[in-house]
Amino acid sequence: MSLEMNTFVKSIDDTIVPQWLSAFEVLGMKCEIHPEFSFTNQTGFLPFKLSLSSPAHKEWEGKSFLTGFEFDISDFDLNIELEKLNPKPSALKKWFGKPGPYKRYANSSIDSKLATCRKVIHFVWGSADTFELRMATVSSAILAELTDGICAY
């Protein structure tokens, strides 16, 4: 089974990669990202080399691990998403039906922030691999913080 986190951002480019990796290091995880990674063309599995500063398990001390997650980035437009949630009623439904309640993407506060977002980053990982979970969820949170975006599970 796989799980997904989404991070909504106004914009993102490769200049943020060093800050992303530095934030991991502050959290006790020294990471190396695949050298050919770019936000402009990455799709599919994104590998990382990970070493933990203070691992919970002694056998992990001084070891490096290969991990990662499925990564994809796509365009996002809140107006298009809201149109999908609130389709225009047919002429017959307009005439005879009562309009349903207006549906928001999240809530008014979050929707106002999402209105400025133009990209959504998808992080997908396998539920059986805790390193994938760690890398995907922490990446989502770090990138949301660095870009003034929003991450959502």
Side-chain angles (χ1 to χ4, degrees):
M1 181 171 98
S2 63
L3 303 165
E4 181 174 352
M5 289 282 295
N6 292 319
T7 301
F8 300 86
V9 299
K10 294 172 187 159
S11 66
I12 195 159
D13 61 44
D14 296 343
T15 60
I16 204 164
V17 173
Q19 293 172 306
W20 181 15
L21 297 177
S22 292
F24 269 114
E25 199 154 347
V26 168
L27 297 171
M29 297 177 276
K30 183 162 175 43
C31 297
E32 294 176 34
I33 196 167
H34 192 277
E36 294 175 12
F37 169 78
S38 175
F39 284 105
T40 59
N41 61 11
Q42 176 68 38
T43 59
F45 187 74
L46 176 57
F48 287 84
K49 181 179 174 184
L50 169 69
S51 6
L52 304 172
S53 302
S54 301
H57 303 283
K58 294 237 185 251
E59 63 269 17
W60 291 355
E61 281 186 34
K63 291 189 177 178
S64 294
F65 302 92
L66 180 62
T67 188
F69 45 81
E70 296 292 320
F71 177 96
D72 186 44
I73 189 166
S74 58
D75 293 332
F76 176 80
D77 185 327
L78 181 62
N79 292 325
I80 292 171
E81 298 304 319
L82 290 173
E83 286 174 9
K84 291 177 191 174
L85 291 172
N86 299 289
K88 294 188 189 234
S90 66
L92 192 58
K93 186 144 187 144
K94 255 194 221 180
W95 189 260
F96 290 108
K98 289 175 29 180
Y102 180 79
K103 295 176 187 167
R104 298 199 171 276
Y105 196 76
N107 62 43
S108 60
S109 173
I110 293 172
D111 281 8
S112 68
K113 190 163 184 170
L114 286 173
T116 63
C117 294
R118 296 294 169 252
K119 298 286 182 186
V120 58
I121 307 168
H122 309 277
F123 303 87
V124 180
W125 70 93
S127 61
D129 189 325
T130 57
F131 280 144
E132 284 186 18
L133 161 72
R134 176 190 295 223
M135 294 302 292
T137 56
V138 174
S139 287
S140 179
I142 289 170
L143 291 174
E145 184 175 314
L146 292 174
T147 61
D148 192 33
I150 295 178
C151 65
Y153 177 67

